[in-house]
Amino acid sequence: MKLSEFKFELPENLVAQHPAKNRDESRLMVLHRDSGKIEHRSFKDILEYFDEGDVFVVNDTKVFPARMYGNKEKTGAQIEVFLLRELNTEIHLWDVLVDPARKIRVGNKLYFGESDMVAEVIDNTTSRGRTIKFLYDGPQEDFYKALYSLGETPIPKEFITRDTEAADKERYQTIYASNIGAVAAPSAGLHFTKEVMKRLEIKGIEVAPVTLHIGLGTFRTVDVEDLTKHKMDSENFVVPGTTAVVVNKALDTKKRVCAIGTTAMRAMESSVSAHVRLKANEGWTDRFIFPPYDFKIANALLTNFHTPESTLMMMASAFAGHDLLIEAYKLAIKEKYRFFSYGDAMLII
């Protein structure tokens, strides 16, 4: 398929700038792949579509406060430093983005807040990318504590145009987040509350975790018309053996396996055995899923409404069928569904 087939006009006022008052009170559009039927529900209704023995596969990655602000030595110019990933824990080497990049050269030092945290620029990686080394002498635990105290919640500023607020620290995080390492939240999971999780348990629906640490590549612009030429950034993932057992039991007994978000789906599709079952696995994946695609594990997908020409929209299209997804998006705009990370949800079954 071509990039232009995922283009549509998204009114700016439909990009959610804040989450719903309560997580589980977002709207839920339900797409039935076999009949093409589209329903308008509330997220709280999601349990009506699942039964005992079905499985929800969630991404338990935890977002860390990746956006920091430092000052350049001598000039004092403010520089935004966006932490992407740690390259070496012993010497505190990090892959980062800087803005404005033109002011930051190899050898420059950056000073953060009123603290003693200082970083030196070691290398240029891309136009905005840098490798920096934090000059910190002390226990690892103290380093992370100091580093994260300086950062703020990395809500995606390209679409959420307001300033970060205190509430984002809690709301831009799933309630089951446990493995720190993401710079963006798995947004489909943001709708779950403790009450919904308890109702899942009572109904006999199992929740099985995978981990995929989301990087900024999730939001990277696709700039080639031929999608086969687009290269995804690699992201670190883990599929535990216990999750593989639970999912495979559900598949063997013809139950539903629902990927909670495109990142949970990517992790599973990167861990398929020769017998077309989920296998325990860990490593890096750059799998790019777009139509046509034969999904091997999950037979249901919960996702949010995505921005035009995004890789997330492309995966949803591959799962729902392109024509049905485009019809659903047109209807979502007409019905004023909220888009993006803090927006409404779509269940594809």
Side-chain angles (χ1 to χ4, degrees), residues 203-222:
K203 197 166 182 179
I205 300 165
E206 296 206 56
V207 177
V210 295
T211 305
L212 186 140
H213 292 313
I214 304 163
L216 280 186
T218 292
F219 306 121
R220 190 180 302 285
T221 302
V222 179

Side-chain angles (χ1 to χ4, degrees), residues 68-74 81 83 91-94 96 107-122 131-138 142-143 146-147 149-150:
M68 303 171 62
Y69 294 94
N71 296 98
K72 187 180 173 184
E73 62 177 336
K74 297 179 183 175
V81 177
L83 304 174
I91 60 174
H92 308 306
L93 208 62
W94 283 76
V96 304
N108 286 161
K109 285 190 173 68
L110 298 169
Y111 295 81
F112 296 92
E114 301 298 320
S115 69
D116 296 326
M117 188 70 77
V118 182
E120 183 177 355
V121 180
I122 302 298
T131 301
I132 67 172
K133 177 181 180 181
F134 287 98
L135 309 177
Y136 187 91
D137 187 18
D142 292 349
F143 168 72
L147 188 68
S149 70
L150 291 166

Side-chain angles (χ1 to χ4, degrees), residues 232-243:
M232 292 283 284
D233 288 5
S234 291
E235 294 170 315
N236 190 237
F237 76 98
V238 178
V239 176
T242 49
T243 291

